Amino acid sequence: MSVADAALRSVLAPEDRSHLQAICGERVRFDEPLAPYTSWKIGGPADAWIVVESETQLAEIMRFCGKRRVPWFVLGSGSNLLVGDGGIRGIVLRLAGEFTAISVTEEQHAVLVEAGASAGMAALTAKAASAGARGIGSLAGIPGSVGGSLRMNAGTDREIGDFVRDVWVQSPAKPQAHPVTVHYYYRHTSLARDAIVSRVRLQFERGDPHGTRMEMQQRLVRRKNTQPIALPNAGSCFRNPPGDKAARLIEAAGAKGWREGGAEVSSLHANFINNLGGATAKDVATLLARVRRSVVERFGVELQLEVHLVGVFVDEL
Ligand SMILES: Cc1cc2nc3c(=O)[nH]c(=O)nc-3n(C[C@H](O)[C@H](O)[C@H](O)COP(=O)(O)OP(=O)(O)OC[C@H]3O[C@@H](n4cnc5c(N)ncnc54)[C@H](O)[C@@H]3O)c2cc1C
């Protein structure tokens, strides 16, 4: 068997499939295409796609993965992911049900927001703004889930990590939800690789709800005018290098409008790559490499990827 064929073969044994079917019922689908679950609309199949609706269900799957040594990956809203055309081997988890809950508590000087990892940042920011959560505008317009945003330390001028008070995670080694301390860096965190965020508690200073909502609205309008929203993309592909902007360097390298198959460097925001229709992960990966090479050649700056590349990347299927 060739290396490519081996990489495309499911790692789930027939007994794994029957066991997953028995414990998950309709919540598991085998050989499920992942493209519909990513904002780029790109990506091959997962050996198993499981919708997990509670911390108890997640603990059960974690125990199974640990015992059977089955690889797994948690997919949030898929807004920062390039999934390979060969898909992802093992189990891909999507948190739902109780993981989408959001509760907001107003204290005298603070607004506390407790959210499940699968809650959308759009719903969270809207609710928090209505309670006057100061600084929430910097998290507005991020199309991810709470868990994905925490893993990425997503944000703009301020980041989600600035507001986090508590984080609970689950993992194969410790399946029950438990609190952990996380350190936050520019678009990444110290969160262990095998930790799935199950819920978080954020804390904001309490301000005037009207002013907070207005500020958030203005930021959303600014975003609409500066970012391509009509075509599938994954936001900024590269992190900003110290003291500069990736978009400025990419534009100055003349890359705006470059195409590879169905993928194109946006002419509105050079750090975005759009799927014009039918783009493959290979198209996007080729374009990313070309952009990176041209910025190194022109400016001597090695851009680092912000988007996560996952799964199997193959030349031809
Ligand atoms: C139009 C557009 C605009 C964007 N603007 C911004 C912006 O202003 N600022 C910014 O920072 N980002 C931005 N992004 C990128 C993206 O939205 C963020 O990185 C977002 O936080 C990713 O969340 P997600 O749920 O989509 O994560 P996914 O893309 O699904 O996953 C990203 C990573 O997080 C991990 N992950 C997901 N859920 C969990 C969990 N529960 N526990 C542990 N790990 C988990 C995944 O395994 C993966 O490694 C933008 C994207 C788009 C498409």
Side-chain angles (χ1 to χ4, degrees):
M1 188 189 298
S2 73
V3 175
D5 286 344
L8 293 171
R9 219 171 85 163
S10 171
V11 296
L12 294 177
E15 60 268 31
D16 292 328
R17 290 183 178 236
S18 0
H19 187 84
L20 287 172
Q21 190 81 69
I23 60 174
C24 302
E26 288 184 349
R27 292 182 294 101
V28 60
R29 284 192 223 150
F30 296 104
D31 309 309
E32 174 79 354
L34 295 173
Y37 305 109
T38 72
S39 60
W40 247 324
K41 303 296 168 218
I42 291 173
D47 291 344
W49 164 261
I50 300 180
V51 175
V52 185
E53 293 178 332
S54 66
E55 291 182 357
T56 312
Q57 287 177 3
L58 183 55
E60 191 170 22
I61 301 288
M62 292 286 88
R63 276 189 214 99
F64 170 83
C65 292
K67 203 163 132 201
R68 295 285 304 159
R69 296 185 176 276
V70 169
W72 54 268
F73 178 79
V74 58
L75 194 143
S77 299
S79 65
N80 200 55
L81 285 182
L82 181 60
V83 176
D85 299 315
I88 298 182
R89 297 293 71 81
I91 295 173
V92 175
L93 300 165
R94 159 58 68 78
L95 307 185
E98 73 177 34
F99 292 107
T100 59
I102 301 175
S103 76
V104 177
T105 313
E106 295 178 33
E107 296 189 339
Q108 196 182 357
H109 299 295
V111 175
L112 296 182
V113 181
E114 187 160 335
S118 196
M121 288 300 287
L124 183 148
T125 50
K127 285 191 180 183
S130 294
R134 278 218 183 113
I136 192 72
S138 47
L139 306 180
I142 296 171
S145 66
V146 167
S149 298
L150 192 118
R151 162 78 64 193
M152 298 304 302
N153 192 20
T156 51
D157 50 333
R158 296 186 73 186
E159 296 156 334
I160 193 168
D162 296 342
F163 306 104
V164 173
R165 209 171 93 170
D166 305 290
V167 179
W168 289 266
V169 301
Q170 298 179 242
S171 68
K174 214 170 166 190
Q176 298 298 339
H178 57 281
V180 286
T181 302
V182 180
H183 301 286
Y184 299 89
Y185 311 103
Y186 172 53
R187 297 297 172 268
H188 66 115
T189 66
S190 65
L191 198 65
R193 282 184 76 86
D194 71 344
I196 296 186
V197 175
S198 35
R199 65 196 134 99
V200 305
R201 192 182 289 139
L202 309 177
Q203 178 171 341
F204 302 85
E205 277 176 37
R206 189 169 170 198
D208 153 50
H210 178 70
T212 312
R213 275 201 305 267
M214 289 291 286
E215 192 224 330
M216 193 163 106
Q217 214 44 48
Q218 283 162 3
R219 283 177 179 255
L220 289 171
V221 169
R222 204 159 53 232
R223 222 175 232 279
K224 271 195 181 148
N225 295 333
T226 52
Q227 295 182 354
I229 47 170
L231 292 165
N233 64 68
S236 292
C237 293
F238 296 99
R239 297 179 190 175
N240 289 325
D244 210 334
K245 295 269 184 212
R248 188 197 74 77
L249 292 165
I250 298 168
E251 183 170 353
K256 267 188 168 179
W258 281 359
R259 279 195 194 187
E260 200 68 51
E264 181 188 56
V265 177
S266 164
S267 37
L268 189 59
H269 190 307
N271 202 11
F272 280 44
I273 289 182
N274 291 323
N275 177 356
L276 301 174
T280 60
K282 188 188 169 202
D283 294 338
V284 176
T286 309
L287 202 48
L288 287 170
R290 195 174 151 203
V291 166
R292 199 162 181 266
R293 214 167 36 240
S294 74
V295 171
V296 172
E297 283 166 9
R298 290 285 299 275
F299 308 109
V301 177
E302 285 199 20
L303 293 177
Q304 303 299 316
L305 281 177
E306 180 171 323
V307 289
H308 286 188
L309 270 56
V310 286
V312 179
F313 284 74
V314 279
D315 272 347
E316 303 295 339
L317 281 174

